[in-house]
Amino acid sequence: MKVKIENSWNNVLNDIFDEEFFKKLVTFVKSEYEKGPVFPPGKFIFNAFDQCPFDQVKVVILGQDPYHGPGQAHGLSFSVKPGVSFPPSLLNIFKEIQSDIGKAMPPNGDLTRWAQQGVFLLNATLTVRAREAGSHQKQGWEEFTDRVIQRISDGKSNVVFLLWGAYAGKKADLIDQAKHLVLKAPHPSPLSAHRGFLGCRHFSQANEYLEKQGLKTIDW
């Protein structure tokens, strides 16, 4: 099956696109877009892949669902386009960066600048029905994104995986921790951020690790 995705990712994933579960997923997603509003807009479904080619991945940040409100999701986990107010989890991420490395709050919540430095901003589920959180879970996306994580783990070395919250934390089982750095913390949501996300210092730790590997650090 031909999927419109960045070339280096296509080379790594193209065998998956021909599997039965993925064909069923595509049929489901197409029917959902035909029925009513689904986020992100179709051209942004694989935006995380398009903005951060496989051979440039240095850090992986795993989210769960795209934002399900109008104008928020654009295919990068936790990110919103310029002009959209910071969702609570993203605000806490910026607060932690400010506390950890002293970087001021940015003018907008668009994390494309991270993606273009090698931060792969992957949601476990890549689409969602408008105003219905979790509505596209258990349709095949999780199987696909689990395979993506495994391909990164198998095909690369010295990647930092930032796993926030219990859901993301379970993905550590897919990662070879002998050759990658896995950092876990509670989710940045206001419900859990004060239980250890704030103060986790993941951003400075990620950069220290990258520097030790001779890799360029991330300008968070």
Side-chain angles (χ1 to χ4, degrees), residues 52-211:
C52 184
F54 178 80
D55 51 5
Q56 292 176 26
V57 174
K58 294 192 282 192
V59 179
V60 176
I61 298 179
L62 186 70
Q64 191 162 358
D65 259 14
Y67 296 120
H68 54 85
Q72 292 181 299
H74 65 128
L76 305 176
S77 62
F78 295 104
S79 178
V80 290
K81 289 192 272 191
V84 178
S85 58
F86 298 165
S89 292
L90 183 58
L91 181 61
N92 281 332
I93 289 169
F94 290 145
K95 283 180 180 174
E96 176 55 23
I97 290 170
Q98 195 166 23
S99 163
D100 184 12
I101 58 175
K103 191 174 177 74
M105 203 69 70
N108 61 64
D110 186 351
L111 303 182
T112 303
R113 60 192 179 82
W114 290 5
Q116 292 173 347
Q117 296 178 73
V119 182
F120 185 49
L121 296 160
L122 180 68
N123 279 317
T125 305
L126 298 189
T127 54
V128 68
R129 211 174 292 141
R131 299 183 180 84
E132 289 186 51
S135 50
H136 286 187
Q137 290 176 7
K138 300 189 173 126
Q139 298 291 337
W141 276 132
E142 296 92 339
E143 183 172 350
F144 172 67
T145 53
D146 279 0
R147 300 276 285 281
V148 170
I149 293 166
Q150 287 176 312
R151 297 278 165 104
I152 295 170
S153 176
D154 294 346
K156 297 185 69 72
S157 298
N158 307 321
V159 173
V160 183
F161 290 83
L162 304 184
L163 306 181
W164 300 331
Y167 181 86
K170 290 175 188 166
K171 306 296 183 183
D173 294 342
L174 304 170
I175 301 160
D176 181 351
Q177 296 185 48
K179 61 174 185 164
H180 301 289
L181 177 64
V182 173
L183 298 175
K184 293 185 187 181
H187 196 276
S189 154
L191 299 172
S192 55
H194 292 279
R195 296 206 294 267
F197 176 79
L198 295 172
C200 71
R201 305 204 65 218
H202 278 186
F203 302 96
S204 60
Q205 288 182 66
N207 274 348
E208 284 162 16
Y209 178 82
L210 293 173
E211 196 165 29

